Amino acid sequence: MRAMLMRTCLSDMIAPSVAAAARAVLERAGVEVVVPRRQTCCGQPGWSSGHPDQARPVARQAMRAFRGDDPIVVPSGSCAAMIRHGYADLFAGRPEEAEAREMAERTSELSQFLAAHGLRPKPTGSGSVTYHDSCHMLRLLGERESPRAVIAGVEGLELREMGQTDVCCGFGGTFSVNFPEVSGRLGEEKARNAAAAGADELVACDLSCLMHIAGRARRCGIPLRVRHLAEVLAE
């Protein structure tokens, strides 16, 4: 099996370890990984900020970079949701609509891809994690079970559910900029719920949420270790 990996902007610029871990996880599971060199951003920042004319050329570049028949794997529920659901609206009635829909059909978030194909990149582990349901994973992709199935597939790794795991962490891209007080409060509550779960670390499928929660935890003096799910699986 072969797949194309979308690194995502945040991983590229802030945490390259996440993209590297996602690649390692896929290769360990027996997947041949191709990382298109021409990839940039999926276009989600412009789209979610209400600027489709600015988002469209960015998305066109992504479509050019990921042309082909191979599945596309994204270590981000947010970016995967943009491609799967945003592209159809972004290119509705335009010449690229069919290509946008075709790319959406080939795109999966990392844990979705692993669960759908029954892949177990890390058969055994140890310790415990608690899991944060990001809004884009839960609400846009409608995905709650795949990350938990992947965690459950690691023998010896315990999942301890936190309270209110389905509540937003408060990041939400530009939401955190436009509504910093609400965003900060939600982030603090999420960090406290995660710490109260008593797990070794908090994991999620979206780096943006983890950055926000970790930042609030540090500012509020809440002891909390966070990692992307790919980093846990790549150990």
Side-chain angles (χ1 to χ4, degrees):
M1 182 188 303
R2 195 171 80 159
M4 289 192 277
L5 176 66
M6 179 176 280
R7 295 189 301 259
T8 81
C9 297
L10 279 183
S11 180
D12 248 358
M13 294 185 287
I14 296 175
S17 61
V18 171
R23 179 171 189 162
V25 164
L26 291 168
E27 290 180 339
R28 188 185 296 171
V31 178
E32 179 186 352
V33 179
V34 176
V35 184
R37 296 178 61 87
R38 298 174 63 194
Q39 65 177 292
T40 55
C41 173
C42 67
Q44 194 232 33
W47 173 245
S48 60
S49 299
H51 302 292
D53 290 340
Q54 282 70 44
R56 216 168 273 117
V58 181
R60 285 193 185 101
Q61 175 61 30
M63 290 195 293
R64 286 192 290 268
F66 285 91
R67 276 176 181 151
D69 299 324
D70 296 321
I72 300 165
V73 182
V74 192
S76 163
S78 181
C79 301
M82 171 63 192
I83 298 166
R84 288 192 60 85
H85 299 290
Y87 275 21
D89 290 336
L90 189 61
F91 291 103
R94 294 175 180 271
E96 304 95 332
E97 182 175 359
E99 184 177 3
R101 291 183 180 278
E102 186 274 335
M103 181 175 176
E105 288 297 316
R106 289 189 289 122
T107 300
S108 304
E109 182 276 330
L110 175 63
S111 69
Q112 289 184 315
F113 183 81
L114 295 173
H117 294 280
L119 301 175
R120 295 181 63 197
K122 184 179 174 64
T124 61
S126 61
S128 59
V129 298
T130 190
Y131 176 74
H132 162 61
D133 287 291
S134 72
C135 291
H136 285 92
M137 282 287 285
L138 191 64
R139 295 176 176 83
L140 290 185
L141 292 178
E143 183 60 80
R144 183 183 185 280
E145 299 306 322
S146 288
R148 290 173 171 80
V150 169
I151 293 170
V154 182
E155 186 178 343
L157 183 63
E158 178 188 0
L159 173 61
R160 297 183 183 179
E161 295 283 7
M162 74 173 86
Q164 298 183 313
T165 183
D166 58 340
V167 174
C168 176
C169 71
F171 179 67
T174 54
F175 177 85
S176 61
V177 177
N178 295 328
F179 304 97
E181 293 183 357
V182 178
S183 174
R185 181 61 181 168
L186 286 169
E188 179 181 344
E189 289 177 0
K190 178 64 69 173
R192 293 196 185 283
N193 282 330
D200 296 330
E201 56 191 353
L202 166 69
V203 300
C205 297
D206 275 285
L207 182 57
S208 54
C209 298
L210 290 173
M211 290 167 48
H212 180 62
I213 299 167
R216 291 306 300 163
R218 185 168 58 252
R219 287 170 176 78
C220 298
I222 302 168
L224 187 66
R225 179 183 179 189
V226 307
R227 279 198 298 172
H228 192 282
L229 179 59
E231 295 176 300
V232 175
L233 298 175
E235 279 186 333

